[in-house]
Amino acid sequence: MSTTSAPPSTSAAARAGTDALEPRDRLIVALDVADADAALEVARRLSGHVGMLKIGLELFVAEGPSVVRRVREVAPDLEIFLDLKLHDIPNTMCGAIRSVRAFGVKFLTVHAGSGTAHLQACVEAAGDAVGILAVTVLTSQDEVACRQAGHTRALEELVEMRAVCARDAGCAGVVCSGRELSRVRAVAPRLARVVPGIRPAGADLGDQARVMTPARAVADGASYIVVGRPILQAQDQAAAADAIVRELAGS
Ligand code: C5P
């Protein structure tokens, strides 16, 4: 499992200092593709056009940790965000996180639903090597889905409670939808706010329920936006990314 040549680590506090980010650095593209060849092709095309690439479960399960190193080799200017959304007992999560430390990724996601002590154990396991992002409520979920899953609180309240857990645990940031940004900012102003469910005006929603445009999300306080299909399915992926960066620059 050799994914060496990690970039120098930065502290969680420095990582979360996102106010001064350039528009391009705010754009994270989800490499939601089936294999390494497809991922490397997208990474090559987007090098110089976006700030970060997100490797998620589909690609990581298919290719294993070596895909992190390979993506970095073809796009050395881009940071990497490992979106594994870990959720298990703390002992198992901490073991997984200790393995991720060697990968040289900027962020790793864990689910926030198990509370502050659980998140704190993850933050300690990560040390300064990787920033832990707590996923509040998936952007594919709406109020009905939350109720069906047994939650009795309103969705936004649940997001806020989980942001408080992430703050108290010392996480680098949270993942939330654009619609909860103001509540998250109010309770956890120093955390990085990573927002998926982004759709340029007129784009297909797919399975996302709580969506927002790129400019609106950043204007409302997103530190980073995560975009998958609107860029991956474009005929010219670099041009689609550039259009979003231009939109952010004007926001
Ligand atoms: O294609 P689309 O732009 O909807 O992709 C969104 C990406 O963000 C996917 O990789 C998805 O796994 C991820 N994500 C999300 N909701 C969260 C956390 C991550 O959609 N709460």
Side-chain angles (χ1 to χ4, degrees), residues 215-230:
R216 176 79 196 277
V218 170
D220 284 1
S223 316
Y224 300 93
I225 57 169
V226 180
V227 182
R229 286 162 287 186

Side-chain angles (χ1 to χ4, degrees), residues 12-95:
R15 247 183 245 116
T18 56
D19 286 352
L21 285 174
E22 296 294 327
R24 189 176 72 181
D25 294 332
R26 295 185 185 278
L27 177 55
I28 303 175
V29 175
L31 287 179
D32 291 336
V33 293
D35 58 38
D37 287 345
L40 297 181
E41 191 54 47
V42 176
R44 268 189 214 98
R45 287 189 198 131
L46 293 180
S47 175
H49 295 269
V50 306
M52 207 180 308
L53 296 172
K54 183 172 88 67
I55 293 177
L57 279 175
E58 182 180 1
L59 185 58
F60 194 78
V61 170
E63 299 287 352
S66 67
V67 75
V68 176
R69 174 178 46 78
R70 295 177 67 192
V71 167
R72 184 176 302 112
E73 280 167 5
V74 302
D77 59 315
L78 303 185
E79 306 259 24
I80 297 182
F81 163 15
L82 195 54
D83 187 19
L84 300 185
K85 298 193 181 73
L86 300 177
H87 198 182
D88 207 315
I89 60 171
N91 187 53
T92 304
M93 287 177 77
C94 291

Side-chain angles (χ1 to χ4, degrees), residues 28-32 54-57 81 83 85 109 111 135-141 175-177 194-199 204-208 210-211 226-233:
I28 303 175
V29 175
L31 287 179
D32 291 336
K54 183 172 88 67
I55 293 177
L57 279 175
F81 163 15
D83 187 19
K85 298 193 181 73
T109 44
H111 277 285
V135 178
T136 54
V137 176
L138 295 170
T139 48
S140 55
Q141 304 261 282
V175 182
C176 65
S177 96
V194 179
V195 178
I198 297 294
R199 290 292 180 268
D204 191 13
L205 296 196
D207 57 355
Q208 295 286 16
R210 307 190 332 270
V211 299
V226 180
V227 182
R229 286 162 287 186
I231 289 178
L232 296 179
Q233 293 174 355

Side-chain angles (χ1 to χ4, degrees), residues 232-247:
L232 296 179
Q233 293 174 355
Q235 276 204 326
D236 184 338
Q237 294 171 342
D242 290 346
I244 291 176
V245 171
R246 275 198 305 277
E247 182 181 329

